[in-house]
Amino acid sequence: MFTGRKKIVKPDGVSPDEFEELVAQELFNLEVSAADIKVHLKDLHITAAKQIDISGRSKAIIIFVPYRLLQKYHRIQQKLIRELEKKFSGQHIVIIANRRVLKKETKTNKVKRQSRPFSRTVTAVHAAILEDMTYPVDIVKKRTRVRSDTSKLLKIYLDPKDQSTVEGKLDTYTAVYKRLTGKDATFEFPTL
């Protein structure tokens, strides 16, 4: 019997939980049944999946994929998300690549290695998560607002041409970004 177990690849010694196996099984079912994305899904797999609450009334699913497979996922992302949202009864799906943050080199943690690349800094990883989360919608501008109590709010303005398709996902983007980075953010469309 064929299973979705081959659609999820975890590090050695770690077994996937029930929810991750459910998502992997749905990906496998799509590979078997959906003719238009069957060829593309053949070589793709995920590394993890999480389900989070969005302001108590609905849930979102975050699917983590290997960084090297992200471009292949982008080719079929709109069709894949549409099919998965049907399978998971309207829950919003977000696909994000696994990225690693390396510590800043200090006196106490000196390791003989090359200097830390910019793509492994916290700033770069958080910016990349933002890009992955909103794909295929373009980010027009970002603003950081510092409130009087010194807390920061990141305002992200998305491209207005995609407003009709993404309007319902703005709360999802806010909740997912807060969960993954710990930063407050609001997603809006610029007023012309």
Side-chain angles (χ1 to χ4, degrees), residues 128-152:
I129 286 173
L130 192 61
E131 291 290 332
D132 290 350
M133 196 170 46
T134 59
Y135 185 84
V137 179
D138 292 329
I139 296 174
V140 178
K141 59 184 173 179
K142 293 185 252 183
R143 300 286 183 260
T144 303
R145 179 172 179 243
V146 181
R147 298 184 188 128
S148 59
D149 63 347
T150 68
S151 62
K152 292 183 180 180

Side-chain angles (χ1 to χ4, degrees), residues 100-117:
R100 180 176 306 221
V101 176
L102 293 179
K103 287 187 196 178
K104 197 173 194 179
E105 188 175 312
T106 62
K107 290 180 182 179
T108 59
N109 71 347
K110 284 192 178 189
V111 178
K112 292 191 176 194
R113 64 169 185 237
Q114 294 178 343
S115 63
R116 176 177 69 158

Side-chain angles (χ1 to χ4, degrees), residues 58-153:
S58 61
K59 295 186 181 290
I61 299 171
I62 307 170
I63 298 175
F64 294 96
V65 300
Y67 176 76
R68 292 176 183 237
L69 296 178
L70 184 64
Q71 292 302 317
K72 291 181 180 179
Y73 270 100
H74 281 330
R75 291 183 199 149
I76 59 167
Q77 185 164 344
Q78 290 178 320
K79 293 177 186 175
L80 180 65
I81 285 178
R82 190 176 327 114
E83 292 297 324
L84 285 175
E85 284 178 351
K86 287 179 195 173
K87 300 276 186 186
F88 288 105
S89 67
Q91 294 179 3
H92 292 148
I93 310 288
V94 178
I95 296 176
I96 296 177
N98 271 348
R99 290 188 168 80
R100 180 176 306 221
V101 176
L102 293 179
K103 287 187 196 178
K104 197 173 194 179
E105 188 175 312
T106 62
K107 290 180 182 179
T108 59
N109 71 347
K110 284 192 178 189
V111 178
K112 292 191 176 194
R113 64 169 185 237
Q114 294 178 343
S115 63
R116 176 177 69 158
F118 181 73
S119 64
R120 304 291 194 282
T121 62
V122 172
T123 306
V125 169
H126 288 187
I129 286 173
L130 192 61
E131 291 290 332
D132 290 350
M133 196 170 46
T134 59
Y135 185 84
V137 179
D138 292 329
I139 296 174
V140 178
K141 59 184 173 179
K142 293 185 252 183
R143 300 286 183 260
T144 303
R145 179 172 179 243
V146 181
R147 298 184 188 128
S148 59
D149 63 347
T150 68
S151 62
K152 292 183 180 180
L153 174 68

Side-chain angles (χ1 to χ4, degrees), residues 7-11 14-17 19-21 23-24 27 45-51 61-66 73 93-98:
K7 284 300 192 186
I8 184 163
V9 177
K10 301 287 268 183
V14 179
S15 61
D17 61 7
F19 183 72
E20 290 173 338
E21 287 182 354
V23 172
L27 282 172
H45 60 273
I46 64 173
T47 57
K50 290 183 183 177
Q51 187 173 23
I61 299 171
I62 307 170
I63 298 175
F64 294 96
V65 300
Y73 270 100
I93 310 288
V94 178
I95 296 176
I96 296 177
N98 271 348

